[in-house]
Amino acid sequence: MAESTAKQPARRGRIFPERILPPEELARRKAEREVFHKLCRAIFERVRPEYIEKNYGWYIAVEPNSGDYFIDEDIEIAHRKALEKYPNSVHCVFCLNETGATGRI
């Protein structure tokens, strides 16, 4: 088998080195995500016992600022319901099961 003589230059470093976030900004963003998830999780834990019996395995999209949640059998429809009512807000989706996890390992 013939070896190729053309070599591509090795890429080193970041593609956009000017876009490096300082550690303080990264820590702030992480703290905001944790607060957001805690708010969503609290709402999910409050309503889960009410719906888990008859809707096991369904999905619940939680909007933490208003406390509203949207339940559907299909994850995409639950997500769409939340976006229709709150188009400029971020929401979190859980599965109505023991852990709230939506995917498979």
Side-chain angles (χ1 to χ4, degrees):
M1 185 156 130
E3 290 186 29
S4 174
T5 57
K7 291 188 176 181
Q8 289 185 349
R11 289 190 180 196
R12 293 194 170 90
R14 297 181 55 91
I15 296 173
F16 300 107
E18 66 278 359
R19 289 190 172 179
I20 296 174
L21 293 175
E24 299 83 22
E25 177 67 15
L26 293 174
R28 185 188 65 77
R29 290 182 182 190
K30 182 178 180 182
E32 285 179 358
R33 282 193 310 269
E34 288 173 358
V35 168
F36 170 78
H37 188 263
K38 284 181 182 179
L39 288 172
C40 292
R41 180 61 107 167
I43 295 168
F44 171 70
E45 293 295 337
R46 186 188 52 174
V47 300
R48 179 174 58 171
E50 182 180 344
Y51 294 105
I52 197 167
E53 291 291 325
K54 62 180 180 174
N55 299 331
Y56 188 86
W58 286 32
Y59 297 94
I60 178 169
V62 178
E63 200 286 317
N65 297 328
S66 66
D68 285 350
Y69 52 91
F70 307 91
I71 299 173
D72 201 274
E73 202 171 2
D74 185 2
I75 191 170
E76 294 296 325
I77 295 174
H79 172 70
R80 196 173 310 127
K81 286 179 182 179
L83 285 177
E84 284 174 4
K85 186 157 185 188
Y86 301 101
N88 298 323
S89 181
V90 179
H91 62 275
C92 191
V93 178
F94 297 96
C95 185
L96 283 168
N97 57 24
E98 293 80 15
T99 63
T102 59
R104 294 185 180 187
I105 295 177

